[in-house]
Amino acid sequence: MKVIIILDQIQAGLGGKEHADTPLGGKKMPMGSADNVEKALKNYQGEIIGTFYCGTDYYQANRDLVQRKFAKMAEKMEADVVILGPAYDYPDFSQMACEIADYIQSQTKIPALVACAKEKNEELIEKYHDNLVIVKMPPKGGTGLSDSIEHVALGCDTVVQNHDVADFKAKYCY
């Protein structure tokens, strides 16, 4: 299973809020928090073939460009699934994650999963939970992160293998 992960500048390990203007970029390897996700994906014969990133301010100023380029790169690299997050309880990254996931699913045949916390994101989750697979995640520093990462990996396997997504969503998603 070939997986692409999309992160903001913080989760990619490229700096804090002061670097929210980081332009879009990517590497053909796990970066930042993608390392933990890749370990969980190995249980499902999955590997991260690329990490895409951009700062949340850059995304808001260049929304259409970022969505289009990330979707095209996912298609070009022949990803089986795209993960957006972990976004924890960061509202700007969670919004970016849901919007890009929605775009990728509507413009490509590649499924996308979002991982974010309910805290600070309740309206966003309410808006997207019917159309997206949004895996439950604790807020930053909360308990249950390892379980959430395992659920993200299971979710990737579920959508790629065309297993029952409704059952998965009922157990692990909003």
Side-chain angles (χ1 to χ4, degrees):
M1 170 172 57
K2 296 188 297 186
V3 181
I4 286 175
I5 190 164
I6 297 175
L7 302 170
D8 71 352
Q9 81 285 354
I10 296 171
Q11 298 309 312
L14 299 172
K17 291 180 181 178
E18 71 280 6
H19 291 131
D21 61 346
T22 301
L24 63 95
K27 292 190 177 184
K28 293 181 178 178
M29 58 184 274
M31 295 174 57
S33 61
D35 284 336
N36 288 334
V37 176
E38 182 163 70
K39 290 175 188 166
L41 288 169
K42 289 186 189 278
N43 294 330
Y44 302 95
Q45 289 74 48
E47 67 171 321
I48 293 178
I49 60 171
T51 304
F52 300 157
Y53 57 81
C54 79
T56 51
D57 286 352
Y58 182 87
Y59 171 74
Q60 289 177 6
N62 301 282
R63 185 173 277 129
D64 293 342
L65 172 75
V66 173
Q67 291 175 350
R68 193 176 60 249
K69 287 205 169 194
F70 283 169
K72 279 204 172 289
M73 284 305 296
E75 284 184 314
K76 184 177 177 181
M77 294 175 72
E78 300 178 348
D80 294 313
V81 61
V82 175
I83 299 170
L84 294 107
Y88 300 98
D89 56 342
Y90 298 120
D92 291 342
F93 182 24
S94 296
Q95 179 181 358
M96 179 175 108
C98 286
E99 290 177 1
I100 293 172
D102 192 47
Y103 181 88
I104 287 173
Q105 289 196 155
S106 68
Q107 301 299 314
T108 74
K109 294 181 179 177
I110 304 170
L113 281 81
V114 173
C116 69
K118 185 168 90 178
E119 292 80 359
K120 300 180 188 174
N121 295 312
E122 289 183 21
E123 287 181 24
L124 191 66
I125 291 168
E126 181 64 30
K127 179 178 179 181
Y128 287 104
H129 83 282
D130 286 341
N131 295 332
L132 297 177
V133 176
I134 306 174
V135 178
K136 293 177 183 176
M137 159 153 280
K140 186 74 176 171
T143 59
L145 177 60
S146 295
D147 289 342
S148 293
I149 298 296
E150 290 292 330
H151 298 157
V152 168
L154 173 61
C156 289
D157 186 62
T158 299
V159 298
V160 170
Q161 301 296 327
N162 286 324
H163 293 171
D164 186 358
V165 175
D167 186 51
F168 175 80
K169 286 180 81 169
K171 289 180 181 173
Y172 305 113
C173 299
Y174 298 108

